[in-house]
Amino acid sequence: GAVVSQHPSRVICKSGTSVKIECRSLDFQATTMFWYRQFPKQSLMLMATSNEGSKATYEQGVEKDKFLINHASLTLSTLTVTSAHPEDSSFYICSARITDSAAFFGQGTRLTVV
Amino acid sequence: AQSVTQPDIHITVSEGASLELRCNYSYGATPYLFWYVQSPGQGLQLLLKYFSGDTLVQGIKGFEAEFKRSQSSFNLRKPSVHWSDAAEYFCAATSSGNTPLVFGKGTRLSVIA
């Protein structure tokens, strides 16, 4: 299947700093990527839809100024958690879907804000 | 609203026993259906998918799933479970195009000797 690479896999940052997470589709072009957040022992919650060359679409309740998404190319989307706080600690997963086909997921990023 | 329901939060089976994980969906039309598996601290791996055609689909690692329109179900099965199958399993659905997946809450599978 298609490969989606997410980096870093783990990051620890101090409260108030910003963290950038990268999501790359390695062997296909993705005009749309999706960012999910997963709390321990829970399911994946869609945060936003990232569209190449245009603004991201955020789900209700997700702060667009805190979770900045940039989809600058057909193979790269980034999620920046700005002014991170301990409550932002979570597992973040990106996904890219081949149109009319399956979605493929990155390995996830464990963010810990101290 | 579109939704996916996995009624079982946690299932324990003995190694070598058969397995069935339940999934029900609520969508306006027949959605695309998926099963994914997640090991702790990892991303999701696609086990199998159903778009149309044969309602019994085969996946990786010996898994299969059957789409039943009358029951709005897409249950995952495996005839003989291995200890390495212990993980979290997610059923998901979406519509055509490039829409995001809607996930069930997941079922945690434990395998005992």
Side-chain angles (χ1 to χ4, degrees):
Chain A
V3 178
V4 174
S5 177
Q6 188 174 339
H7 178 81
S9 58
R10 289 179 177 271
V11 59
I12 300 173
C13 70
K14 292 185 177 180
S15 187
T17 62
S18 297
V19 173
K20 179 185 286 188
I21 303 170
E22 292 187 347
C23 180
R24 295 180 184 272
S25 57
L26 297 186
D27 50 1
F28 66 101
Q29 293 183 330
T31 56
T32 303
M33 291 186 178
F34 306 101
W35 287 94
Y36 293 85
R37 183 173 181 175
Q38 186 179 31
F39 291 102
K41 299 187 185 302
Q42 294 192 26
S43 188
L44 284 75
M45 299 300 296
L46 179 67
M47 297 175 65
T49 300
S50 170
N51 303 297
E52 188 268 334
S54 64
K55 291 183 178 180
T57 304
Y58 291 82
E59 295 299 301
Q60 190 173 11
V62 177
E63 299 176 61
K64 61 181 181 181
D65 294 330
K66 166 166 275 296
F67 299 101
L68 299 179
I69 291 172
N70 183 275
H71 195 151
S73 77
L74 288 172
T75 59
L76 174 64
S77 175
T78 60
L79 168 68
T80 301
V81 183
T82 63
S83 186
H85 291 282
E87 57 265 29
D88 298 324
S89 298
S90 193
F91 193 60
Y92 294 88
I93 307 178
C94 71
S95 169
R97 185 179 170 198
I98 297 175
T99 302
D100 287 337
S101 185
F104 298 93
F105 289 82
Q107 305 93 317
T109 298
R110 170 73 59 196
L111 170 63
T112 303
V113 185
V114 298
Chain B
Q2 300 167 334
S3 66
V4 176
T5 301
Q6 293 180 248
D8 305 305
I9 296 174
H10 183 206
I11 284 181
T12 300
V13 299
S14 298
E15 191 170 15
S18 64
L19 169 71
E20 183 170 30
L21 302 182
R22 295 183 292 166
C23 173
N24 294 96
Y25 64 89
S26 176
Y27 259 74
T30 299
Y32 294 179
L33 296 162
F34 309 87
W35 275 99
Y36 289 85
V37 61
Q38 184 183 35
S39 297
Q42 301 294 314
L44 275 68
Q45 182 182 23
L46 178 67
L47 289 176
L48 47 76
K49 62 183 184 289
Y50 172 79
F51 290 169
S52 64
D54 193 346
T55 56
L56 184 62
V57 294
Q58 303 297 320
I60 63 171
K61 304 184 179 186
F63 286 93
E64 67 178 25
E66 185 171 12
F67 169 68
K68 292 186 177 180
R69 184 190 304 274
S70 61
Q71 299 177 18
S72 297
S73 69
F74 188 57
N75 294 349
L76 181 72
R77 300 194 295 248
K78 186 170 185 178
S80 178
V81 170
H82 188 262
W83 64 267
S84 60
D85 293 323
E88 190 84 20
Y89 290 80
F90 291 97
C91 181
T94 189
S95 48
S96 61
N98 224 344
T99 52
L101 270 59
V102 175
F103 285 87
K105 292 187 179 297
T107 298
R108 183 161 62 94
L109 174 65
S110 297
V111 180
I112 58 175

